[in-house]
Amino acid sequence: MADRLAAELEDRGHQVVVARGAGADTSHLLANFVAAASRADVVIPHSNAGRFGPAVAAEVGATLVCLDSLLPGLEPDAQWVEFLRSRELSDGLLARWSTWWPRQDIQSVVGEHWDLLTTDEPRVPLRLLIEEPPAPASWLARRSGYIAFGHTYAEQTAVAEENGWEVRRLEGEHLHLLTAPDEVAETLLEVISLLEER
């Protein structure tokens, strides 16, 4: 899903590593993210990966810019947790993400990019999405960025703004990095540039 955004950034002369979000537990997943970002100047988590973003960025000494993502420390929504539990299969793993909602609903968001969406869908245990990963002390006080797509993560966007992060809002759905990677890349590079100036 992030590969289209990665390609846009590479076309602009940047080296990109896409970390895959799989692991047996939160500590294993965090270690995988840290290993993937070991040489990164900027860590750019999307969606659930945002909960790991501050720890990864602090560990590797990188700037953090979240893309429409969760943030650590916010209480998980009870209805969302119940929804996730309903997607857990008998083997203890969640069903593939693209099956959580009717295909036509997702198709209306991703359009012609359905195949790209479903190319890499790791099945993960429920705990990876609800257990709280570690976060460094005072992580909210670090100068960081947040780019929101629509209003899915309005609470997280507000937290970022309240803590002086560089915040941008783009009109789009949660998968805007897949459907409009050029716009996301331009906005991302603008935010990174502003963060590097300070």
Side-chain angles (χ1 to χ4, degrees), residues 114-129:
W114 176 265
D115 289 343
L116 292 175
L117 174 68
T118 58
T119 297
D120 180 29
E121 286 189 280
R123 293 188 57 222
V124 299
L126 172 65
R127 64 179 175 273
L128 279 190
L129 300 187

Side-chain angles (χ1 to χ4, degrees), residues 2 4-10 12 14-17 41-46 63-68 144-149 166-170 176-177 180-196:
R4 295 196 78 217
L5 176 58
E8 288 287 341
L9 293 170
E10 287 170 346
R12 291 163 170 79
H14 301 277
Q15 291 186 324
V16 180
V17 173
D41 296 317
V42 184
V43 170
I44 309 166
H46 172 250
T63 297
L64 174 67
V65 181
C66 295
L67 298 182
D68 209 45
S144 303
Y146 194 100
I147 302 174
F149 308 151
E166 198 68 47
V167 175
R168 296 290 181 278
R169 290 178 174 82
L170 300 179
H176 206 54
L177 76 168
D182 52 344
E183 181 183 18
V184 175
E186 289 292 341
T187 305
L188 178 58
L189 293 175
E190 174 194 333
V191 168
I192 293 170
S193 177
L194 289 170
L195 292 173
E196 289 176 345

